[in-house]
């Protein structure tokens, strides 16, 4: 069977890729060994959230799914950075970065990942030119100059002009075509969950730095009539495992203290997920007839909502190149690699530095971090430039 594009991986990035290229009229096959979990409280649900930054919205509109997501999305008008690196768990430097400084729109819109999957799967069902095979894995790939051939776990074969590897940080496609990665391990894990709190978030995303990594609360729509936020809590691995195993009441108490009680007592409103934190970049983002995207190409610590937004930039670049160059050609994929690899390396290096600074227990680094937050915020040209850089705009 022949298709224009074969996508290995049915996570959020792979599903967006299938919707994006399918909406442009291309024939697409998308596979994943595990069916997507599309219910909040189901086993295996992805309890993380994604803040789609401004440049992501035109891409989501092209997929035909943004109108489905927008009613559930929480606008992010302000990014609040809090340094609490003193002797007590109290804020000692707080600065607000307001979207109105650089735009008439919010910085972005936050949504839970399980809901994003639900709406993407619903969109795929509307596209007769997209073949979505959940529960099916890619087992082998062979490429030649004219096309690629992929073998599936159901015993069938697909021939494609372009293979998109969206199969994660342990990508089978990447390994099969012999692309190495550089991996940085921090000894950290991230707890991901949702909370309710008595003090409204007022569309403010709050990132609290102490030690171990940031504690970030990102606004969600109200849950059970109470203000709600998605939380990513990064800690050294053993500490994260200890927190993950705590009884709910004890966990509520510890996370309320870690949040400096900025929103009052926090109450767990979902299951807790636990994720390893690494930085990883592939040595190349393309090979013959293959493009790497998302975590097959790059992984970064969850700071500044960069992960999936970098993935959407991957897809935007592939889409633009496909309009002027033959699909899956050497010229198309060479241009993709050249543009995306260098941009991603620079961004991951910046995130790496921020994470190491946030992890540090050294008093002088904490003091430097606290002073730096104020200096960056109070110098308006620097503040605005960094906000635009974080969004990926000019």
């Amino acid at each position: 069977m022949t298709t224009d594009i074969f996508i290995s991986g049915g996570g959020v990035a792979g599903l967006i890729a299938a919707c994006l290229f399918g909406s442009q009229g291309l024939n697409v096959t998308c596979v994943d060994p595990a069916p997507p979990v599309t219910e909040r409280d189901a086993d295996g649900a992805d309890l993380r959230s994604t803040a789609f930054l401004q440049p992501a919205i035109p891409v989501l509109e092209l997929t035909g799914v943004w109108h489905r997501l927008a009613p559930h999305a929480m606008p992010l008008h302000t990014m609040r950075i809090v340094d609490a690196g003193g002797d007590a768990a109290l804020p000692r430097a707080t600065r607000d970065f307001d979207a109105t400084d650089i735009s008439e729109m919010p910085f972005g819109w936050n949504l839970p990942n399980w809901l994003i999957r639900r709406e993407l799967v619903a969109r795929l069902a509307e596209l007769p030119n997209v073949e979505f095979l959940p529960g099916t894995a890619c087992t082998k790939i062979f490429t030649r100059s004219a096309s690629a051939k992929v073998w599936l776990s159901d015993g069938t074969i697909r021939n494609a002009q372009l293979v998109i590897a969206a199969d994660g940080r342990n990508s089978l496609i990447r390994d099969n075509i012999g692309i190495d990665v550089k991996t940085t391990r921090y000894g950290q894990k991230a707890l991901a969950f949702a909370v309710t709190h008595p003090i409204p978030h007022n569309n403010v995303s709050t990132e609290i730095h102490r030690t171990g990594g940031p504690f970030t609360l990102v606004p969600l729509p109200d849950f059970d009539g109470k203000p709600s936020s998605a939380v990513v809590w990064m800690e050294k691995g053993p500490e994260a495992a200890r927190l993950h195993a705590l009884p709910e009441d004890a966990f509520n108490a510890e996370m309320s203290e870690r949040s400096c009680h900025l929103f009052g007592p926090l109450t767990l409103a979902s299951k807790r997920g636990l994720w390893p934190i690494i930085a990883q970049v592939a040595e190349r983002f393309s090979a013959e007839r293959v493009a790497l995207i998302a975590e097959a190409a790059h992984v970064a610590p969850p700071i500044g909502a960069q992960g999936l937004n970098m993935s959407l930039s991957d897809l935007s670049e592939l889409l633009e190149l496909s309009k002027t160059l033959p699909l899956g050609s050497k010229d198309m994929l060479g241009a993709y690699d050249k543009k995306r690899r260098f941009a991603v390396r620079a961004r991951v290096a910046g995130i790496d530095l921020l994470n190491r600074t946030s992890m540090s227990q050294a008093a002088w680094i904490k003091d430097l971090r606290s002073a730096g937050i104020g200096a960056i915020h109070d110098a308006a040209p620097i503040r605005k430039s960094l906000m635009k850089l974080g969004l990926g705009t000019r």
Side-chain angles (χ1 to χ4, degrees):
M1 181 176 175
T2 299
T3 187
D4 294 318
I5 298 176
F6 178 87
I7 300 168
S8 179
V12 172
L15 294 174
I16 290 176
C19 290
L20 178 65
F21 288 102
S23 295
Q24 310 313 304
L26 293 167
N27 293 319
V28 177
T29 296
C30 178
V31 304
D32 193 277
V37 180
T38 58
E39 297 296 332
R40 183 181 188 275
D41 296 318
D43 289 342
D46 186 347
L47 301 176
R48 296 170 295 180
S49 68
T50 293
F52 289 113
L53 302 179
Q54 287 180 16
I57 304 309
V59 180
L60 292 174
E61 288 175 337
L62 288 173
T63 67
V65 80
W66 178 239
H67 74 282
R68 294 178 179 273
L69 295 174
H72 307 285
M74 180 57 63
L76 307 177
H77 294 298
T78 302
M79 302 294 184
R80 178 170 294 155
I81 308 296
V82 178
D83 180 80
D87 293 334
L90 296 170
R92 60 176 186 167
T94 300
R95 294 293 189 276
D96 286 353
F97 296 81
D98 294 320
T100 53
D101 271 358
I102 59 172
S103 173
E104 295 180 355
M105 297 188 295
F107 285 119
W109 293 261
N110 195 49
L111 289 137
N113 284 6
W114 63 266
L115 187 146
I116 297 170
R117 281 183 167 86
R118 185 186 74 190
E119 300 306 326
L120 288 168
V121 170
R123 172 58 178 157
L124 289 180
E126 299 174 346
L127 296 169
N129 52 316
V130 176
E131 178 187 38
F132 179 44
L133 302 175
T136 303
C138 173
T139 59
K140 187 172 68 170
I141 179 171
F142 174 76
T143 68
R144 50 189 182 271
S145 60
S147 65
K149 186 175 185 178
V150 291
W151 284 259
L152 306 184
S153 59
D154 63 5
T156 62
I157 295 172
R158 299 294 184 277
N159 291 286
Q161 294 298 300
L162 172 65
V163 172
I164 296 178
D167 50 349
R169 60 185 67 183
N170 299 314
S171 169
L172 178 142
I173 296 285
R174 188 188 65 223
D175 290 347
N176 270 212
I177 59 178
I179 295 180
D180 290 333
V181 295
K182 179 182 179 181
T183 304
T184 302
R185 303 188 187 279
Y186 301 97
Q188 285 174 299
K189 291 188 177 180
L191 291 147
F193 50 91
V195 298
T196 57
H197 39 81
I199 299 174
H201 50 61
N202 294 323
N203 300 98
V204 176
S205 178
T206 303
E207 193 170 278
I208 305 164
H209 295 264
R210 187 165 169 76
T211 59
F215 182 102
T216 306
L217 300 103
V218 188
L220 289 173
D222 288 0
F223 180 70
D224 284 346
K226 301 173 185 177
S228 181
S229 295
V231 175
V232 176
W233 184 358
M234 293 167 60
E235 284 286 358
K236 294 292 183 68
E239 175 64 4
R242 182 189 72 82
L243 291 165
H244 186 257
L246 285 176
E248 189 167 318
D249 287 348
F251 185 78
N252 288 343
E254 292 221 23
M255 69 172 168
S256 296
E257 181 179 1
R258 181 62 180 81
S259 72
C260 300
H261 298 277
L262 293 177
F263 295 90
L266 303 182
T267 302
L268 194 63
S270 73
K271 298 176 182 178
R272 287 166 269 182
L274 191 63
W275 306 86
I277 301 299
I278 64 170
Q280 182 170 281
V281 181
E283 67 171 11
R284 292 178 288 123
F285 282 18
S286 69
E288 186 178 62
R289 293 288 163 183
V290 177
L292 308 185
I293 70 163
E295 290 200 343
H298 46 77
V299 183
I303 296 175
Q306 296 300 306
L308 189 57
N309 286 281
M310 285 195 290
S311 305
L312 292 181
S313 294
D314 298 341
L315 290 171
S316 179
E317 188 63 33
L318 281 174
L319 179 62
E320 287 304 307
L321 289 168
S322 73
K323 295 176 181 177
T324 57
L325 295 169
L327 185 67
S329 66
K330 183 177 179 180
D331 288 345
M332 175 189 169
L333 293 171
Y336 169 73
D337 172 64
K338 183 177 181 180
K339 185 158 187 180
R340 289 303 300 150
R341 178 159 45 98
F342 294 106
V344 165
R345 280 182 174 174
R347 195 156 291 253
V348 171
I351 297 168
D352 172 83
L353 178 61
L354 290 172
N355 188 39
R356 291 182 188 278
T357 302
S358 184
M359 287 172 64
S360 178
Q361 297 184 10
W364 70 271
I365 292 182
K366 294 180 185 178
D367 292 341
L368 184 63
R369 180 179 68 206
S370 181
I373 292 170
I376 290 170
H377 178 273
D378 296 344
I382 297 175
R383 179 179 74 244
K384 293 177 182 180
S385 294
L386 286 176
M387 285 194 288
K388 291 179 181 178
L389 179 65
L391 289 180
T393 61
R394 296 181 181 272

